[in-house]
Amino acid sequence: MNDETQILKDIIKGDTHAMERLYRRYAGYATAVARRYVSDADDMRDVLQDSFVKVFTNIDKFTYRGEGSLKAWILRVVANESITMLRKSSKMSFTDNVPENILVDEEPDVDYMPPEILNDMIRKLPIGYRTVLNLFVFENKSHKEIASILGIKEDSSASQFYRAKKMLAHMINDYKIRRKA
């Protein structure tokens, strides 16, 4: 029996130490996902708390599908809670405003960029752009699925993604220019 299945069995039995082990094991990953969607620190903490409450109250409904499936499920809960929080707080907005000075048409090379810098740039995107980008790139959702999740048109999802990529590429290029100077 692997560690994940043992933790699951112990939690279902009511073992609070197993809950703590699960939390310590996945809190960092969950925080990273929440931070991609939610830029406000207080909102992010609320998302994490709500997510782990949901995980612990629904863990008996989780179907284990092999190593990594528990982590994937937890991170999906966090992404969903992040989107729910953005919707409830009326912070979810979609904009067509792209600064006019953004002329980047090619995708920048991010291989040598520190991940924390790239994540900070993603957090600086307008909420609609950021949400669509996260769902498309990190959650592997199609524009049709994103439209359904966010209650927008499929074309809106695609245009928000395009604008997010363009704005992010501009930020990356600016960063690289500043690093060379």
Side-chain angles (χ1 to χ4, degrees):
M1 183 180 314
N2 70 33
D3 193 38
E4 278 188 343
T5 56
Q6 187 60 54
I7 288 174
L8 283 169
K9 286 182 180 192
D10 292 345
I11 290 172
I12 291 170
K13 289 179 193 174
D15 183 345
T16 56
H17 294 295
M19 290 176 156
E20 185 180 339
R21 282 195 336 261
L22 179 112
Y23 177 81
R24 276 189 276 121
R25 185 174 191 174
Y26 297 114
Y29 297 109
T31 301
V33 170
R35 287 183 77 195
R36 280 198 326 255
Y37 287 94
V38 181
S39 56
D40 181 77
D42 291 333
D43 288 344
M44 188 188 64
R45 282 189 286 277
D46 289 345
V47 164
L48 290 172
Q49 180 177 336
D50 293 347
S51 296
F52 277 99
V53 166
K54 192 168 268 187
V55 164
F56 292 130
T57 57
N58 292 296
I59 203 142
D60 58 329
K61 296 177 183 110
F62 170 72
T63 304
Y64 186 75
R65 292 184 172 89
E67 191 69 32
S69 64
L70 179 59
K71 176 183 173 184
W73 177 66
I74 291 169
L75 299 184
R76 197 169 338 116
V77 170
V78 173
N80 290 340
E81 285 300 307
S82 298
I83 292 167
T84 298
M85 188 283 307
L86 290 172
R87 270 200 200 132
K88 284 182 182 176
S89 66
S90 301
K91 292 182 181 178
M92 180 72 72
S93 63
F94 297 92
T95 180
D96 290 333
N97 298 334
V98 177
E100 292 178 26
N101 62 343
I102 296 179
L103 302 171
V104 180
D105 284 326
E106 59 186 59
E107 292 188 24
D109 180 21
V110 295
D111 291 339
Y112 301 102
M113 261 189 95
E116 61 276 1
I117 299 290
L118 188 57
N119 284 331
D120 285 342
M121 289 176 184
I122 291 170
R123 275 193 298 283
K124 290 176 183 171
L125 293 171
I127 293 172
Y129 291 5
R130 181 174 65 231
T131 304
V132 170
L133 179 94
N134 280 316
L135 288 168
F136 190 84
V137 173
F138 298 106
E139 309 296 333
N140 297 312
K141 301 290 184 192
S142 68
H143 288 298
K144 184 175 184 174
E145 292 169 312
I146 294 168
S148 176
I149 290 167
L150 300 178
I152 60 176
K153 294 179 180 175
E154 195 172 334
D155 289 348
S156 295
S157 174
S159 69
Q160 294 293 298
F161 178 68
Y162 170 76
R163 290 181 178 103
K165 276 183 24 179
K166 199 168 185 169
M167 188 175 275
L168 189 58
H170 180 70
M171 286 188 242
I172 291 166
N173 286 337
D174 279 354
Y175 171 81
K176 288 181 177 181
I177 289 169
R178 283 193 314 271
R179 296 277 299 165
K180 288 180 183 177

